[in-house]
Amino acid sequence: MRICSLLPSNTEIVYALGLGDRLVAVTHECDYPPEATKKAIVTSSALPHDARRSIEIHNAVNYHLHQGSSIYHIDTDTLKRVSPDLILTQELCEVCAVSYSLVEKACRLLDGGPKIVSLEPNTLEDILSNIQQVGRLTDREAEAQEVVAGLRRRIDKVASTATQSAYRPRVFCLEWIDPPMAAGHWVPEMVSLAGGYDGLGKAGENTYTLSWEKVRDYAPEIMVVMPCGFSVARALEEREILTQMSWWGELPAVKEGKVFVVDASSYFNRPGPRIVGGLEILAQIIHPELFSPTSPKEAVAKLA
């Protein structure tokens, strides 16, 4: 079986199941594990290369979507050359990956008609189910069961340890900086499992735009900055958007030095195996008295 992955998280699932040798094509954003970058690339971004700031990226994305066009291109010539039997994609978010309709259109050009499977996770359980689904599709059910069992043990360990504290601080997870967006889908669930309370995020629902005034009024005790697709270093480039607000210093999280920037691209935005690493990072942030800092140093930093 020849597999094409059109989402970084799907690529990570494929490798977790030991199917790296069957992966023939990936997206331009697939960077983990490192060997994935050696595969044929079948997508590119339609966004302007000079769109660097959050608001510029946001405006460019909205422009393309309002025009009815995708923010990604598919290299149909390369796709035909690698000739996949199975294409793993998604319909959840047109900002995250090539639109499903564009994938279907491209596949009409391929001989044999590859099987297109859309993975649509909204919760942690959905992510685990997706791993099992890929296992069934690729005759790796035993491997998938083993991977999922290991992830469940880690999730259960975090949840069990977090119950040792009755204190559940108010947490705000910022998934985009300009305009501000509250993290949805699996993130509020992760906050809860890690022993926090997310009063702005909507579990199992889409990320949404909110006003900075709503953040101010919520008065988070802990703030986690996790812009979609950003590393810690990339997110820190826009710290002044936060710190220049007149009321910034009044937030409890700021007063207590509990504003954290995380590697969102690796551990929070991608619904794959590493999402459990994100849960463990949140646990260490929310309850440092219960969880030892075991995450990679580059995965989290305090916002000075």
Side-chain angles (χ1 to χ4, degrees), residues 28-29 44-65 67 69-73 176 230 234:
H28 62 289
E29 295 179 328
S44 59
S45 174
L47 297 181
H49 294 298
D50 59 351
R52 184 65 181 169
R53 306 292 289 178
S54 289
I55 189 62
E56 294 170 344
I57 297 171
H58 175 77
N59 290 340
V61 167
N62 279 348
Y63 172 80
H64 280 271
L65 295 182
Q67 293 293 317
S69 59
S70 174
I71 64 171
Y72 296 98
H73 298 305
W176 198 248
F230 282 15
R234 176 64 185 85

Side-chain angles (χ1 to χ4, degrees), residues 232-254:
V232 170
R234 176 64 185 85
L236 285 172
E237 290 179 12
E238 302 195 28
R239 74 180 80 189
E240 78 283 353
I241 295 176
L242 304 174
T243 59
Q244 70 184 3
M245 290 183 287
S246 60
W247 47 264
W248 176 252
E250 301 171 10
L251 293 179
V254 176

